[in-house]
Amino acid sequence: MHEFDLIRRLQARACGGAGVSLGIGDDAALLQIADGQQLVVTCDTLNAGVHFPDDTAPYDIGWKALAVNLSDLAAMGATPRWCTLSLSLPQSDAAWVDAFADGFFALAHQHSVALVGGDTTRGPLAVSVTAMGVVPAGTALRRDGAQAGDDLWLTGTLGDAAAALAQWRAGSAMHADLRARLDRPQPRLGFGIALRDLAHACIDVSDGLLQDLGHLCSASGVGAEVWLTQLPASPALIATHPADDTRHRLQATGGDDYELCFTASASRRKRIAALHADGTKATRIGRIVSGEAVRALQADGNAWRPPRNGFEHFAD
Ligand code: ADP
Ligand code: MG
């Protein structure tokens, strides 16, 4: 099978979308955005063995490659619209591409995202997606708007994906519910949009809560207190990690959660607590303070020193 046959297989699955004047097939796509909107663009790559275990099913690789990008759009409060897909494959394998496309398009259709172009090359397995969305001009959620005194919130639960990855690294079977969180992150797009006029600042948690919250705090010139005992955990995480210390470490410093961490004025507390979107809700996990330190507090109020704040490429 040749490059062009692979592209045709993907093209056959890509349906048109709003604003697509010209999709796959020319040298570039033509996209139309409405007056008064801003285009929101993000790009994330998944490398085999780095961003997913080597034995990950092609369906899940397809899902996750799009999901991590939609999570970035969610963190900006954007409505997703279009994406491109750059595929590097060790060999031309139609069955693999079809299964990959099943996962990719399952999520794309759920959120009305149109695939409008990409690139297909031979090389080590890697998937790079560029996702595009729109926001009413001036309403995007950003990292730099947090204010001392804000409540600190988090959607969903933390730590499941990191727990699954730890099981995989240890050579043990991954708990099915935990593995599902690792393989099929759910971008919190409904929350992102609802938060446009409620939140002061927002970031998606991909590399560990404390690390990503640190980025939000330095962009905003503030510090934060995180209440470890308030970090939401799934039933599967509680069942597999009953000891607080390990569970808190996974929740505060693990990665691959793809939840939204955001700040808002205390006057919004009731409205945010009542929000239900994306099959989940938000939990208040701390507060924004002046200064620049991000501190995780234990039940007794003492600060907890994590072995590391989160995941970093090139760290060693
Ligand atoms: P060019 O050589 O001009 O870059 P290509 O042969 O790479 O064009 O691609 C032909 C068309 O197919 C382009 O519209 C491109 O966007 C699209 N395309 C290529 N690979 C993919 C892919 N993996 N997913 C979606 N569209 C793709
Ligand atoms: Mg090309």
Side-chain angles (χ1 to χ4, degrees):
M1 172 150 309
H2 291 101
E3 175 191 341
F4 300 113
D5 300 314
L6 289 178
I7 295 173
R8 267 194 291 277
R9 278 186 116 75
L10 291 166
Q11 185 173 14
R13 307 283 296 269
C15 41
V20 182
S21 311
L22 186 62
I24 294 174
D26 211 306
D27 289 310
L30 294 174
L31 307 173
Q32 190 68 48
I33 68 169
D35 283 350
Q37 286 184 336
Q38 279 174 310
L39 184 63
V40 185
V41 182
T42 185
C43 178
D44 253 328
T45 300
L46 300 189
N47 294 313
V50 179
H51 297 94
F52 53 87
D54 289 308
D55 64 350
T56 304
Y59 183 105
D60 294 326
I61 297 171
W63 176 286
K64 188 166 182 175
L66 182 58
V68 301
N69 279 279
L70 296 187
S71 177
D72 281 321
L73 291 186
M76 300 299 290
T79 303
R81 299 289 291 278
W82 312 293
C83 65
T84 62
L85 166 64
S86 179
L87 260 183
S88 163
L89 299 173
Q91 71 245 341
S92 163
D93 178 343
W96 193 96
V97 169
D98 287 346
F100 172 91
D102 286 342
F104 188 90
F105 288 109
L107 184 63
H109 292 156
Q110 224 176 75
H111 295 289
S112 304
V113 178
L115 178 67
V116 298
D119 201 17
T120 307
T121 55
R122 175 179 290 194
L125 179 58
V127 188
S128 182
V129 171
T130 296
M132 289 157 273
V134 292
V135 286
T139 67
L141 296 170
R142 301 165 44 137
R143 298 179 176 186
D144 59 5
Q147 298 170 19
D150 277 359
D151 290 336
L152 183 65
W153 295 86
L154 182 90
T155 62
T157 65
L158 286 175
D160 287 3
L165 205 56
Q167 290 176 336
W168 179 71
R169 288 213 181 94
S172 31
M174 284 189 256
H175 185 288
D177 292 353
L178 300 178
R179 170 143 219 186
R181 292 292 308 276
L182 177 66
D183 288 340
R184 305 226 190 131
Q186 303 287 338
R188 305 307 191 189
L189 289 154
F191 257 100
I193 291 166
L195 290 172
R196 273 180 204 156
D197 47 33
L198 290 173
H200 283 159
C202 185
I203 189 168
D204 72 320
V205 180
S206 53
D207 296 332
L209 173 69
L210 294 182
Q211 181 163 307
D212 288 325
L213 175 58
H215 296 318
L216 181 149
C217 286
S218 51
S220 297
V222 295
E225 257 177 25
V226 174
W227 309 322
L228 283 177
T229 56
Q230 302 303 308
L231 294 181
S234 72
L237 189 73
I238 295 168
T240 52
H241 297 81
D244 284 353
D245 196 55
T246 339
R247 196 175 63 253
H248 289 160
R249 183 176 50 74
L250 291 168
Q251 292 179 287
T253 69
D256 267 333
D257 298 295
Y258 300 103
E259 297 294 351
L260 298 184
C261 176
F262 59 95
T263 85
S265 140
S267 66
R268 308 289 204 194
R269 201 174 285 173
K270 277 213 177 89
R271 281 178 66 188
I272 293 171
L275 274 180
H276 281 269
D278 311 307
T280 192
K281 60 187 186 62
T283 306
R284 198 148 63 86
I285 60 163
R287 62 193 187 104
I288 297 297
V289 297
S290 55
E292 52 185 36
V294 174
R295 301 194 316 143
L297 302 183
Q298 307 174 100
D300 58 10
N302 287 326
W304 173 71
R305 283 202 172 278
R308 58 166 210 172
N309 278 344
F311 181 79
E312 231 189 292
H313 294 273
F314 308 110
D316 44 32

mmCIF file of all heavy atoms in Angstrom, residues 3-4 7 10-11 23-29 84-87 115-120, ligand 1:
data_model
loop_
_atom_site.group_PDB
_atom_site.id
_atom_site.type_symbol
_atom_site.label_atom_id
_atom_site.label_comp_id
_atom_site.label_asym_id
_atom_site.label_seq_id
_atom_site.Cartn_x
_atom_site.Cartn_y
_atom_site.Cartn_z
ATOM 1 N N GLU A 3 1.678 5.564 0.012
ATOM 2 C CA GLU A 3 1.331 6.757 0.788
ATOM 3 C C GLU A 3 -0.048 7.294 0.383
ATOM 4 O O GLU A 3 -0.887 7.605 1.233
ATOM 5 C CB GLU A 3 2.415 7.827 0.555
ATOM 6 C CG GLU A 3 2.124 9.174 1.199
ATOM 7 C CD GLU A 3 3.089 10.270 0.720
ATOM 8 O OE1 GLU A 3 4.168 9.945 0.202
ATOM 9 O OE2 GLU A 3 2.735 11.464 0.865
ATOM 10 N N PHE A 4 -0.297 7.346 -0.942
ATOM 11 C CA PHE A 4 -1.545 7.981 -1.378
ATOM 12 C C PHE A 4 -2.764 7.125 -1.047
ATOM 13 O O PHE A 4 -3.845 7.645 -0.807
ATOM 14 C CB PHE A 4 -1.473 8.332 -2.865
ATOM 15 C CG PHE A 4 -0.336 9.280 -3.138
ATOM 16 C CD1 PHE A 4 0.757 8.892 -3.893
ATOM 17 C CD2 PHE A 4 -0.335 10.543 -2.565
ATOM 18 C CE1 PHE A 4 1.821 9.762 -4.089
ATOM 19 C CE2 PHE A 4 0.728 11.418 -2.764
ATOM 20 C CZ PHE A 4 1.815 11.027 -3.529
ATOM 21 N N ILE A 7 -3.487 7.866 2.544
ATOM 22 C CA ILE A 7 -4.147 9.175 2.661
ATOM 23 C C ILE A 7 -5.609 9.056 2.239
ATOM 24 O O ILE A 7 -6.511 9.577 2.916
ATOM 25 C CB ILE A 7 -3.421 10.242 1.801
ATOM 26 C CG1 ILE A 7 -2.009 10.475 2.341
ATOM 27 C CG2 ILE A 7 -4.203 11.554 1.787
ATOM 28 C CD1 ILE A 7 -1.144 11.382 1.482
ATOM 29 N N LEU A 10 -7.801 7.709 4.917
ATOM 30 C CA LEU A 10 -8.153 8.704 5.940
ATOM 31 C C LEU A 10 -9.148 9.711 5.375
ATOM 32 O O LEU A 10 -10.125 10.078 6.029
ATOM 33 C CB LEU A 10 -6.900 9.422 6.436
ATOM 34 C CG LEU A 10 -5.951 8.554 7.260
ATOM 35 C CD1 LEU A 10 -4.593 9.227 7.412
ATOM 36 C CD2 LEU A 10 -6.556 8.282 8.640
ATOM 37 N N GLN A 11 -8.896 10.105 4.136
ATOM 38 C CA GLN A 11 -9.770 11.100 3.494
ATOM 39 C C GLN A 11 -11.204 10.587 3.407
ATOM 40 O O GLN A 11 -12.158 11.342 3.614
ATOM 41 C CB GLN A 11 -9.246 11.405 2.090
ATOM 42 C CG GLN A 11 -10.002 12.515 1.375
ATOM 43 C CD GLN A 11 -9.348 12.887 0.057
ATOM 44 O OE1 GLN A 11 -8.494 12.153 -0.447
ATOM 45 N NE2 GLN A 11 -9.739 14.010 -0.494
ATOM 46 N N GLY A 23 -11.041 21.109 1.874
ATOM 47 C CA GLY A 23 -10.451 20.180 2.843
ATOM 48 C C GLY A 23 -9.277 19.416 2.267
ATOM 49 O O GLY A 23 -8.477 19.972 1.503
ATOM 50 N N ILE A 24 -9.158 18.146 2.626
ATOM 51 C CA ILE A 24 -8.042 17.305 2.184
ATOM 52 C C ILE A 24 -8.017 17.209 0.657
ATOM 53 O O ILE A 24 -9.064 17.084 0.023
ATOM 54 C CB ILE A 24 -8.202 15.878 2.761
ATOM 55 C CG1 ILE A 24 -8.060 15.913 4.284
ATOM 56 C CG2 ILE A 24 -7.184 14.919 2.151
ATOM 57 C CD1 ILE A 24 -8.339 14.582 4.946
ATOM 58 N N GLY A 25 -6.821 17.247 0.079
ATOM 59 C CA GLY A 25 -6.685 16.984 -1.353
ATOM 60 C C GLY A 25 -5.937 18.048 -2.120
ATOM 61 O O GLY A 25 -5.366 17.771 -3.166
ATOM 62 N N ASP A 26 -5.904 19.257 -1.635
ATOM 63 C CA ASP A 26 -5.114 20.285 -2.319
ATOM 64 C C ASP A 26 -3.813 20.465 -1.530
ATOM 65 O O ASP A 26 -3.503 19.687 -0.631
ATOM 66 C CB ASP A 26 -5.922 21.593 -2.415
ATOM 67 C CG ASP A 26 -5.571 22.388 -3.667
ATOM 68 O OD1 ASP A 26 -4.369 22.662 -3.857
ATOM 69 O OD2 ASP A 26 -6.489 22.723 -4.447
ATOM 70 N N ASP A 27 -3.043 21.484 -1.870
ATOM 71 C CA ASP A 27 -1.787 21.702 -1.156
ATOM 72 C C ASP A 27 -2.025 22.196 0.268
ATOM 73 O O ASP A 27 -1.178 22.014 1.142
ATOM 74 C CB ASP A 27 -0.914 22.701 -1.920
ATOM 75 C CG ASP A 27 -0.373 22.070 -3.196
ATOM 76 O OD1 ASP A 27 0.176 20.966 -3.108
ATOM 77 O OD2 ASP A 27 -0.548 22.657 -4.275
ATOM 78 N N ALA A 28 -3.159 22.808 0.497
ATOM 79 C CA ALA A 28 -3.498 23.288 1.841
ATOM 80 C C ALA A 28 -5.008 23.429 1.935
ATOM 81 O O ALA A 28 -5.708 23.436 0.919
ATOM 82 C CB ALA A 28 -2.815 24.636 2.112
ATOM 83 N N ALA A 29 -5.494 23.518 3.135
ATOM 84 C CA ALA A 29 -6.940 23.664 3.353
ATOM 85 C C ALA A 29 -7.313 25.144 3.423
ATOM 86 O O ALA A 29 -6.477 25.989 3.754
ATOM 87 C CB ALA A 29 -7.343 22.973 4.648
ATOM 88 N N THR A 84 -5.532 18.966 11.721
ATOM 89 C CA THR A 84 -4.684 18.284 10.747
ATOM 90 C C THR A 84 -3.966 17.155 11.469
ATOM 91 O O THR A 84 -3.839 17.172 12.705
ATOM 92 C CB THR A 84 -3.648 19.225 10.107
ATOM 93 O OG1 THR A 84 -2.776 19.711 11.135
ATOM 94 C CG2 THR A 84 -4.309 20.398 9.414
ATOM 95 N N LEU A 85 -3.485 16.186 10.708
ATOM 96 C CA LEU A 85 -2.915 14.966 11.273
ATOM 97 C C LEU A 85 -1.630 14.613 10.538
ATOM 98 O O LEU A 85 -1.646 14.364 9.332
ATOM 99 C CB LEU A 85 -3.932 13.834 11.108
ATOM 100 C CG LEU A 85 -3.447 12.402 11.325
ATOM 101 C CD1 LEU A 85 -3.006 12.204 12.766
ATOM 102 C CD2 LEU A 85 -4.556 11.420 10.957
ATOM 103 N N SER A 86 -0.515 14.618 11.250
ATOM 104 C CA SER A 86 0.744 14.198 10.663
ATOM 105 C C SER A 86 1.100 12.834 11.233
ATOM 106 O O SER A 86 1.253 12.676 12.437
ATOM 107 C CB SER A 86 1.822 15.238 10.994
ATOM 108 O OG SER A 86 3.036 14.827 10.459
ATOM 109 N N LEU A 87 1.189 11.846 10.339
ATOM 110 C CA LEU A 87 1.396 10.455 10.748
ATOM 111 C C LEU A 87 2.762 10.000 10.282
ATOM 112 O O LEU A 87 3.061 10.063 9.090
ATOM 113 C CB LEU A 87 0.367 9.565 10.051
ATOM 114 C CG LEU A 87 -0.880 9.101 10.768
ATOM 115 C CD1 LEU A 87 -1.662 8.168 9.847
ATOM 116 C CD2 LEU A 87 -0.520 8.408 12.073
ATOM 117 N N LEU A 115 -11.327 16.792 9.970
ATOM 118 C CA LEU A 115 -9.930 16.614 9.557
ATOM 119 C C LEU A 115 -9.766 17.284 8.198
ATOM 120 O O LEU A 115 -10.451 16.923 7.238
ATOM 121 C CB LEU A 115 -9.593 15.120 9.469
ATOM 122 C CG LEU A 115 -8.167 14.788 9.009
ATOM 123 C CD1 LEU A 115 -7.129 15.232 10.039
ATOM 124 C CD2 LEU A 115 -8.023 13.287 8.726
ATOM 125 N N VAL A 116 -8.866 18.255 8.102
ATOM 126 C CA VAL A 116 -8.773 19.049 6.869
ATOM 127 C C VAL A 116 -7.431 18.924 6.158
ATOM 128 O O VAL A 116 -7.224 19.555 5.119
ATOM 129 C CB VAL A 116 -9.063 20.547 7.144
ATOM 130 C CG1 VAL A 116 -10.482 20.723 7.676
ATOM 131 C CG2 VAL A 116 -8.038 21.131 8.113
ATOM 132 N N GLY A 117 -6.520 18.107 6.697
ATOM 133 C CA GLY A 117 -5.238 17.951 6.018
ATOM 134 C C GLY A 117 -4.259 17.220 6.895
ATOM 135 O O GLY A 117 -4.608 16.765 7.991
ATOM 136 N N GLY A 118 -3.043 17.081 6.395
ATOM 137 C CA GLY A 118 -2.032 16.402 7.183
ATOM 138 C C GLY A 118 -0.854 16.001 6.347
ATOM 139 O O GLY A 118 -0.618 16.557 5.272
ATOM 140 N N ASP A 119 -0.107 15.046 6.862
ATOM 141 C CA ASP A 119 1.089 14.579 6.174
ATOM 142 C C ASP A 119 1.291 13.128 6.567
ATOM 143 O O ASP A 119 0.971 12.734 7.694
ATOM 144 C CB ASP A 119 2.284 15.443 6.609
ATOM 145 C CG ASP A 119 3.421 15.393 5.612
ATOM 146 O OD1 ASP A 119 3.180 14.965 4.465
ATOM 147 O OD2 ASP A 119 4.542 15.758 5.995
ATOM 148 N N THR A 120 1.782 12.308 5.639
ATOM 149 C CA THR A 120 1.982 10.895 5.908
ATOM 150 C C THR A 120 3.387 10.515 5.468
ATOM 151 O O THR A 120 3.742 10.711 4.301
ATOM 152 C CB THR A 120 0.933 10.064 5.131
ATOM 153 O OG1 THR A 120 -0.373 10.581 5.431
ATOM 154 C CG2 THR A 120 0.994 8.607 5.522
HETATM 155 P P1 ADP B 1 2.004 17.847 -0.452
HETATM 156 O O1 ADP B 1 3.047 16.962 -1.055
HETATM 157 O O2 ADP B 1 1.521 18.943 -1.329
HETATM 158 O O3 ADP B 1 2.349 18.277 0.951
HETATM 159 P P2 ADP B 1 0.661 15.462 0.302
HETATM 160 O O4 ADP B 1 0.852 14.477 -0.780
HETATM 161 O O5 ADP B 1 1.498 15.352 1.529
HETATM 162 O O6 ADP B 1 0.692 16.913 -0.307
HETATM 163 O O7 ADP B 1 -0.860 15.416 0.777
HETATM 164 C C1 ADP B 1 -1.928 15.410 -0.153
HETATM 165 C C2 ADP B 1 -3.182 15.861 0.556
HETATM 166 O O8 ADP B 1 -3.516 14.890 1.532
HETATM 167 C C3 ADP B 1 -3.032 17.185 1.293
HETATM 168 O O9 ADP B 1 -4.281 17.857 1.216
HETATM 169 C C4 ADP B 1 -2.760 16.776 2.713
HETATM 170 O O10 ADP B 1 -3.214 17.753 3.625
HETATM 171 C C5 ADP B 1 -3.555 15.482 2.820
HETATM 172 N N1 ADP B 1 -2.963 14.532 3.783
HETATM 173 C C6 ADP B 1 -1.777 13.910 3.733
HETATM 174 N N2 ADP B 1 -1.587 13.092 4.786
HETATM 175 C C7 ADP B 1 -2.692 13.224 5.551
HETATM 176 C C8 ADP B 1 -3.110 12.680 6.790
HETATM 177 N N3 ADP B 1 -2.328 11.841 7.503
HETATM 178 N N4 ADP B 1 -4.317 13.046 7.269
HETATM 179 C C9 ADP B 1 -5.093 13.907 6.587
HETATM 180 N N5 ADP B 1 -4.764 14.455 5.428
HETATM 181 C C10 ADP B 1 -3.585 14.129 4.893
#
